[in-house]
PDB file of all heavy atoms in Angstrom:
ATOM      1  N   ASP A 347      10.861 -21.168 -49.460  1.00  0.00           N
ATOM      2  CA  ASP A 347      11.642 -20.856 -48.260  1.00  0.00           C
ATOM      3  C   ASP A 347      10.956 -19.703 -47.545  1.00  0.00           C
ATOM      4  O   ASP A 347       9.936 -19.185 -48.017  1.00  0.00           O
ATOM      5  CB  ASP A 347      13.075 -20.471 -48.614  1.00  0.00           C
ATOM      6  CG  ASP A 347      14.059 -20.837 -47.507  1.00  0.00           C
ATOM      7  OD1 ASP A 347      13.662 -20.753 -46.323  1.00  0.00           O
ATOM      8  OD2 ASP A 347      15.195 -21.220 -47.826  1.00  0.00           O
ATOM      9  N   LYS A 348      11.521 -19.299 -46.430  1.00  0.00           N
ATOM     10  CA  LYS A 348      11.080 -18.080 -45.756  1.00  0.00           C
ATOM     11  C   LYS A 348      12.019 -16.971 -46.199  1.00  0.00           C
ATOM     12  O   LYS A 348      13.237 -17.076 -46.041  1.00  0.00           O
ATOM     13  CB  LYS A 348      11.120 -18.258 -44.242  1.00  0.00           C
ATOM     14  CG  LYS A 348      10.146 -19.303 -43.732  1.00  0.00           C
ATOM     15  CD  LYS A 348      10.226 -19.449 -42.218  1.00  0.00           C
ATOM     16  CE  LYS A 348       9.222 -20.484 -41.723  1.00  0.00           C
ATOM     17  NZ  LYS A 348       9.288 -20.655 -40.250  1.00  0.00           N
ATOM     18  N   PHE A 349      11.473 -15.897 -46.749  1.00  0.00           N
ATOM     19  CA  PHE A 349      12.279 -14.846 -47.348  1.00  0.00           C
ATOM     20  C   PHE A 349      12.086 -13.511 -46.620  1.00  0.00           C
ATOM     21  O   PHE A 349      11.024 -13.251 -46.042  1.00  0.00           O
ATOM     22  CB  PHE A 349      11.895 -14.650 -48.819  1.00  0.00           C
ATOM     23  CG  PHE A 349      12.143 -15.846 -49.690  1.00  0.00           C
ATOM     24  CD1 PHE A 349      11.114 -16.737 -49.959  1.00  0.00           C
ATOM     25  CD2 PHE A 349      13.391 -16.088 -50.239  1.00  0.00           C
ATOM     26  CE1 PHE A 349      11.320 -17.839 -50.769  1.00  0.00           C
ATOM     27  CE2 PHE A 349      13.607 -17.195 -51.054  1.00  0.00           C
ATOM     28  CZ  PHE A 349      12.570 -18.065 -51.323  1.00  0.00           C
ATOM     29  N   LYS A 364       9.694 -11.425 -42.059  1.00  0.00           N
ATOM     30  CA  LYS A 364       9.932 -12.710 -42.703  1.00  0.00           C
ATOM     31  C   LYS A 364       8.626 -13.237 -43.297  1.00  0.00           C
ATOM     32  O   LYS A 364       7.560 -13.146 -42.683  1.00  0.00           O
ATOM     33  CB  LYS A 364      10.483 -13.696 -41.686  1.00  0.00           C
ATOM     34  CG  LYS A 364      10.951 -15.022 -42.267  1.00  0.00           C
ATOM     35  CD  LYS A 364      11.345 -15.998 -41.173  1.00  0.00           C
ATOM     36  CE  LYS A 364      12.479 -15.447 -40.328  1.00  0.00           C
ATOM     37  NZ  LYS A 364      12.923 -16.438 -39.318  1.00  0.00           N
ATOM     38  N   SER A 365       8.697 -13.776 -44.501  1.00  0.00           N
ATOM     39  CA  SER A 365       7.506 -14.308 -45.155  1.00  0.00           C
ATOM     40  C   SER A 365       7.208 -15.721 -44.662  1.00  0.00           C
ATOM     41  O   SER A 365       8.006 -16.337 -43.937  1.00  0.00           O
ATOM     42  CB  SER A 365       7.705 -14.338 -46.671  1.00  0.00           C
ATOM     43  OG  SER A 365       8.594 -15.390 -47.034  1.00  0.00           O
ATOM     44  N   ASP A 366       6.074 -16.258 -45.078  1.00  0.00           N
ATOM     45  CA  ASP A 366       5.772 -17.666 -44.836  1.00  0.00           C
ATOM     46  C   ASP A 366       6.684 -18.535 -45.700  1.00  0.00           C
ATOM     47  O   ASP A 366       7.366 -18.045 -46.607  1.00  0.00           O
ATOM     48  CB  ASP A 366       4.309 -17.964 -45.178  1.00  0.00           C
ATOM     49  CG  ASP A 366       3.349 -17.223 -44.260  1.00  0.00           C
ATOM     50  OD1 ASP A 366       3.728 -16.977 -43.097  1.00  0.00           O
ATOM     51  OD2 ASP A 366       2.232 -16.903 -44.710  1.00  0.00           O
ATOM     52  N   ASN A 367       6.695 -19.810 -45.425  1.00  0.00           N
ATOM     53  CA  ASN A 367       7.486 -20.747 -46.219  1.00  0.00           C
ATOM     54  C   ASN A 367       6.769 -20.977 -47.550  1.00  0.00           C
ATOM     55  O   ASN A 367       5.840 -21.767 -47.651  1.00  0.00           O
ATOM     56  CB  ASN A 367       7.648 -22.061 -45.459  1.00  0.00           C
ATOM     57  CG  ASN A 367       8.663 -22.979 -46.122  1.00  0.00           C
ATOM     58  OD1 ASN A 367       9.320 -22.584 -47.084  1.00  0.00           O
ATOM     59  ND2 ASN A 367       8.794 -24.192 -45.628  1.00  0.00           N
ATOM     60  N   THR A 368       7.193 -20.277 -48.589  1.00  0.00           N
ATOM     61  CA  THR A 368       6.492 -20.280 -49.863  1.00  0.00           C
ATOM     62  C   THR A 368       7.437 -19.868 -50.974  1.00  0.00           C
ATOM     63  O   THR A 368       8.515 -19.311 -50.714  1.00  0.00           O
ATOM     64  CB  THR A 368       5.293 -19.306 -49.812  1.00  0.00           C
ATOM     65  OG1 THR A 368       4.659 -19.267 -51.088  1.00  0.00           O
ATOM     66  CG2 THR A 368       5.749 -17.907 -49.441  1.00  0.00           C
ATOM     67  N   SER A 369       7.058 -20.123 -52.209  1.00  0.00           N
ATOM     68  CA  SER A 369       7.834 -19.642 -53.358  1.00  0.00           C
ATOM     69  C   SER A 369       7.290 -18.313 -53.869  1.00  0.00           C
ATOM     70  O   SER A 369       7.872 -17.715 -54.773  1.00  0.00           O
ATOM     71  CB  SER A 369       7.806 -20.685 -54.488  1.00  0.00           C
ATOM     72  OG  SER A 369       6.475 -20.896 -54.928  1.00  0.00           O
ATOM     73  N   PRO A 371       6.450 -15.242 -51.837  1.00  0.00           N
ATOM     74  CA  PRO A 371       6.311 -14.441 -50.609  1.00  0.00           C
ATOM     75  C   PRO A 371       5.572 -13.127 -50.850  1.00  0.00           C
ATOM     76  O   PRO A 371       5.736 -12.491 -51.893  1.00  0.00           O
ATOM     77  CB  PRO A 371       7.766 -14.180 -50.195  1.00  0.00           C
ATOM     78  CG  PRO A 371       8.545 -14.295 -51.469  1.00  0.00           C
ATOM     79  CD  PRO A 371       7.852 -15.346 -52.276  1.00  0.00           C
ATOM     80  N   VAL A 372       4.756 -12.739 -49.867  1.00  0.00           N
ATOM     81  CA  VAL A 372       4.037 -11.470 -49.914  1.00  0.00           C
ATOM     82  C   VAL A 372       4.428 -10.671 -48.675  1.00  0.00           C
ATOM     83  O   VAL A 372       4.320 -11.152 -47.551  1.00  0.00           O
ATOM     84  CB  VAL A 372       2.507 -11.693 -49.944  1.00  0.00           C
ATOM     85  CG1 VAL A 372       1.783 -10.353 -49.896  1.00  0.00           C
ATOM     86  CG2 VAL A 372       2.110 -12.471 -51.191  1.00  0.00           C
TER      87      VAL A 372
END
Side-chain angles (χ1 to χ4, degrees):
D347 210 326
K348 295 180 179 179
F349 297 96
K364 188 186 300 184
S365 74
D366 295 330
N367 190 6
T368 177
S369 61
V372 176

